[in-house]
Every structure is written in C-alpha cells, then in structure tokens.
Amino acid sequence: MNDSAASRSGARSTGTSGHPRLDALGAWSSASTIEPPRSWVADVGMAGFFLVATVIPYFFLSSLGFFGWQEHWSQLLVGLLLVLPLALRTHYPMVMLALSTIGGIAHIIFLDQPLPALVVVPIQVYSVARWVEDSRKSRLAVIVGAAGSIAGPLSWALGEEPGWTVNVFVLAVLVCAGSVFTPYLVGRRVREATRARLDAEQAAEDQLARAMAEREQAARLSEVRARQQIARELHDVVAHSVSVMVVQAEGGRALAAKKPERAAEVLETIASTGREALTEMRRIVGVLRSDPNEEPEYVPAPRLADIPGMVERTGSRVSLDVRGTPPEVGSSLALTTYRVVQEALTNFLKHAGPAAHATVHLHYLPHRIHLEVRDNGAGATATDDGHGNGLRGMRERVHAMGGTLVTGPHPDGGFCVRADLPIDADRVKSRTPHSGPSDSARRELHDPGLPGR
C-alpha cells in the first residue's frame, strides 16, 4: 500500500499525461498513476512454480522413453521458452510476449502434440492486457494467441497421433481461443477498474487540496478584515482622545494664566477623556486576548446616548443640536454613528484651527439617522498631515451599514461631514454588506456645493 501511494505521488510530480506508459521494450514507467507492478520475487516465484510443475517432470518422463528419445530436448527447450518469460510479466510484458511467441512457434515446428506448459498462455495474455497501457500493443497478444489457436491444433491434427477428427479439431480451436480472449478481456477490465479507482482517489485528493486552499484563503481574508477593523477602532479612539487632550491642555495653559481656579476643570476633562480612551482600548484588546474557549468579558460599546458626553468633552468650541428621540438600534449602528461623529470632531480639532467652531447636528427620523458635523475653520485650505485613514474608516463604516457619506469643504466656508444611516442597518448589512443607500436617500442627502471624496 505504501509503495502504491509513493508511486502515485511520483506520478503527480514527474508525469505529464497522468496515465501509465511503457518504454519501447514494454518496461514499466515510474511516472504512471496506475498502481505499480508486483515485486520481482512474486513473478520469479510464479515462473519457478510452473517450471517445476509443467516442464521438469515432463522432461524426465520423456528422457525415460515415454515420449521418444529424439523429442525430450525439444520439449525441454519449448517448455523453458514458454514458462520462464513469466518472470517478466509485470515489468516487461511485451518482452515476455515476444519470448513466448518464439516458444509457441518452436512448439508448432518441432512438436506434434501439446505440452503441459501451454497452461501459462492464459496468464501471459492476462498480464499483457493488465500491464500494457497502449491498447494497440496489448492486442498483439490477441493476434498471436488467435493465430496459435488455429496453428497449434492444426499441427497436432496433422501429426502421427490418431483420433483427431474434425469435431476434435474444432473443439481444440475453441478451447485455445477461449484461453486467449477470456483472460485478455478480464485483464483490460481489471486495468480500467483500477484506473477508475485511482482517478477517483486523485480527484478526492485534489478536491481536498482545493478545499484546504480555499479555507486558508478565507482565514487570511478574515484576518485582514479583523486587522482593518481593529486598526479603524484604534485610530478612532486614540486619534480623538489625544486630539481632545492636546486641545484641552493648550487651552488650560492659557486659562491657568488668567483664571487659575478654572485649570482644575480642564484637568478633569483631560483625565476623563483619557479614562474613556483606556476603557475603549481595554474593550478592543480584551477581545484579542480572550481565550477562544472562554466567554470574554466585554466592555459596553458606545451608544447613541454617549454622543452628547463625547461632544461636551471635546470643548466649548463644539455645540450639539439634537432633533428627535434617540431610537433603540443595534450596537453596530450605534457604534457607527458614534465613530462618525467622533472622527469628524477629531478632524476638526486637527485641521480647522484654534479659533474655529463646529456644530454637530443629529436628526433622528423614523427610518434613518441623519448627522452633520460642520465647522467654520480652514476647510479646503487645511493641510492634512495624515494618510486619510479617518475618512476612509468613516466611509467603510457607513457603507457597511447601508448608508452614505459625503465629506468636503462647504460653499459657505469650513468643512462638512454628512452621513445618512438607515435605522434597519442590521438588516441592510446582512443582505448587502457593501451596498449603498437608495436613490431617494442619495438625492435627499445630495448637496451640489458639498463634494465628496
């Protein structure tokens, strides 16, 4: 079994056609996908068995005068030519056929009666049919056997032995022909069945390899998506919190010179922002470090009700305008809304300038959430020192929820971020993960003076 597997493995690495083939002498090719031939020991043992059973006893009987002194050496020679090629039957089947054909011709020429060694003919025909790939070459065994099935009985009938009538002659021809055609058909059938079985095994191995490759690819894609999501979360948390703390620290330094008693409020805002950032980072890192076999301890993700507190901690330069009542939405939609507002305020603190002001508009409608963050700062003239990760992250989040995002300088000055999110975002996400909003929603949000990126 191991030798067979090794042979098939070698066939996949060196073979080209995927089928067995023999060289000019009929030798077995190592590039074959059909199972390898039997060992030399088995073939030589079979030849030795028939040599002892059908040739040597007949030779001794002939030497003792039972068949005449002039014939026993011919009988020995013919018997050896018929039996000894069996040792080549699986490794060099065509060579075996050639030697056996010579023995059969010698049998017809020198002997006028059948030898017991002829019992090896069906085995030789089967071996050619079983181990020779080219069907045209294997048919040579049928041609030679058919010719011998007629020539042999004819030579025996014309000999000196009495009792050979037409009926006996026809019966001998049919028996000899059956001893050729039947093993040939059986050998080809066995070969085809073996090939079908090994092809099925090869197909199963290929299918398993493809499935494993697809599984590895899916795992890599899942890992890439997870890394992108973690990077987006960390960027939103760290960038916003650090920006707020820097702005508050700079403002607190100026405020401490004028009103020292107000410095404590600024420090408290900085500390509160830092604590919030640490809490959210623990939530992200906690998921990464949790044991897969244990239920991780999650820290609650930001909700819609947390947006006013986040805006308030950003500073006095940001105002909040809320219309409607915050609806009960899924955690994904709430987190997306929170992060969009957070990232828009982070960009405002980084690029709008120290004297700019921003307004956050939250409009809770029956079927969607409309938000807008607009400032009166530098707008399109601001220089971006980053790589656009914030805006790209916002766009990915909004599109994943089935919404739309428009960012760009406003015609009246400053910069504006608009997002429109369907309240049934969880259902929209599960149906079309990367689809955009409907045409009516896009027209409702469209503003010719507010280009997107």
Side-chain angles (χ1 to χ4, degrees):
M1 187 67 182
N2 295 334
D3 294 340
S4 177
S7 175
R8 293 197 298 272
S9 177
R12 291 193 291 272
S13 61
T14 61
T16 56
S17 64
H19 297 293
R21 45 184 183 270
L22 301 169
D23 59 18
L25 296 178
W28 180 267
S29 172
S30 61
S32 172
T33 57
I34 298 296
E35 60 184 355
R38 297 171 61 183
S39 66
W40 282 100
V41 175
D43 292 341
V44 172
M46 178 179 290
F49 169 78
F50 283 102
L51 181 67
V52 173
T54 64
V55 176
I56 295 178
Y58 198 73
F59 170 72
F60 281 115
L61 290 175
S62 177
S63 301
L64 294 176
F66 288 93
F67 302 102
W69 285 98
Q70 285 79 19
E71 293 184 354
H72 66 278
W73 290 108
S74 299
Q75 293 166 359
L76 177 63
L77 177 62
V78 171
L80 293 177
L81 286 175
L82 289 174
V83 172
L84 290 182
L86 280 176
L88 308 175
R89 72 183 198 91
T90 59
H91 296 82
Y92 299 94
M94 297 304 294
V95 176
M96 175 201 68
L97 178 62
L99 295 176
S100 300
T101 302
I102 296 174
I105 295 174
H107 189 295
I108 295 174
I109 294 175
F110 298 108
L111 301 176
D112 57 0
Q113 53 186 329
L115 294 179
L118 290 176
V119 297
V120 302
V121 172
I123 300 175
Q124 293 170 343
V125 175
Y126 171 85
S127 301
V128 173
R130 173 67 177 85
W131 298 107
V132 175
E133 164 63 19
D134 192 346
S135 60
R136 291 174 298 180
K137 289 184 178 180
S138 67
R139 292 192 193 105
L140 290 175
V142 177
I143 296 173
V144 172
S149 298
I150 298 175
L154 183 61
S155 67
W156 305 331
L158 297 178
E160 298 178 356
E161 292 294 329
W164 277 88
T165 64
V166 174
N167 292 334
V168 174
F169 171 75
V170 173
L171 180 61
V173 170
L174 293 178
V175 171
C176 293
S179 300
V180 172
F181 288 100
T182 300
Y184 179 83
L185 295 176
V186 172
R188 297 309 292 183
R189 178 58 181 169
V190 171
R191 181 177 184 84
E192 293 173 358
T194 303
R195 174 183 294 177
R197 174 176 58 83
L198 295 177
D199 287 344
E201 293 178 0
Q202 181 65 43
E205 292 179 4
D206 294 341
Q207 183 178 3
L208 178 60
R210 287 194 299 269
M212 294 179 63
E214 292 174 358
R215 190 179 307 163
E216 292 177 0
Q217 183 179 7
R220 287 195 297 267
L221 292 176
S222 177
E223 182 181 355
V224 169
R225 286 195 295 267
R227 287 203 305 264
Q228 291 176 347
Q229 183 178 1
I230 293 170
R232 193 164 55 234
E233 289 285 331
L234 289 176
H235 174 272
D236 293 344
V237 172
V238 175
H240 175 76
S241 301
V242 172
S243 299
V244 170
M245 287 189 288
V246 170
V247 170
Q248 292 291 343
E250 292 178 348
R253 181 174 56 186
L255 187 62
K258 300 177 181 179
K259 297 180 180 180
E261 66 279 5
R262 297 286 303 276
E265 298 178 6
V266 175
L267 293 176
E268 178 59 29
T269 301
I270 295 175
S272 176
T273 303
R275 285 192 295 269
E276 180 185 359
L278 289 175
T279 299
E280 294 207 39
M281 290 184 69
R282 289 193 189 99
R283 177 177 64 85
I284 298 172
V285 176
V287 174
L288 297 177
R289 289 183 174 178
S290 60
D291 189 342
N293 299 323
E294 298 180 359
E295 187 70 20
E297 297 181 0
Y298 293 105
V299 178
R303 301 167 298 172
L304 296 179
D306 298 326
I307 294 178
M310 183 261 293
V311 172
E312 181 181 359
R313 288 189 298 272
T314 304
S316 59
R317 294 190 293 140
V318 181
S319 60
L320 177 63
D321 176 28
V322 179
R323 299 181 185 180
T325 304
E328 294 292 333
V329 297
S331 59
S332 298
L333 179 58
L335 180 62
T336 297
T337 306
Y338 184 92
R339 294 299 189 210
V340 170
V341 175
Q342 185 183 55
E343 181 58 30
L345 293 180
T346 300
N347 291 338
F348 160 71
L349 295 175
K350 292 170 61 178
H351 306 301
H357 291 77
T359 302
V360 178
H361 298 279
L362 275 177
H363 192 186
Y364 296 114
L365 299 172
H367 301 291
R368 62 189 178 93
I369 299 175
H370 177 72
L371 67 90
E372 176 181 301
V373 180
R374 178 182 171 186
D375 63 65
N376 59 356
T381 62
T383 58
D384 187 3
D385 57 354
H387 301 283
N389 292 323
L391 294 180
R392 183 168 61 250
M394 281 194 293
R395 187 170 292 107
E396 291 173 354
R397 288 180 183 277
V398 173
H399 287 175
M401 291 292 105
T404 185
L405 177 72
V406 180
T407 62
H410 197 274
D412 297 334
F415 198 84
C416 184
V417 175
R418 283 184 180 180
D420 197 61
L421 297 166
I423 290 182
D424 57 346
D426 292 335
R427 179 174 60 85
V428 172
K429 180 180 179 182
S430 62
R431 183 174 68 250
T432 54
H434 302 290
S435 63
S438 63
D439 293 339
S440 59
R442 190 179 294 106
R443 287 194 298 269
E444 183 178 345
L445 187 62
H446 176 68
D447 186 346
L450 187 58
R453 294 183 182 177

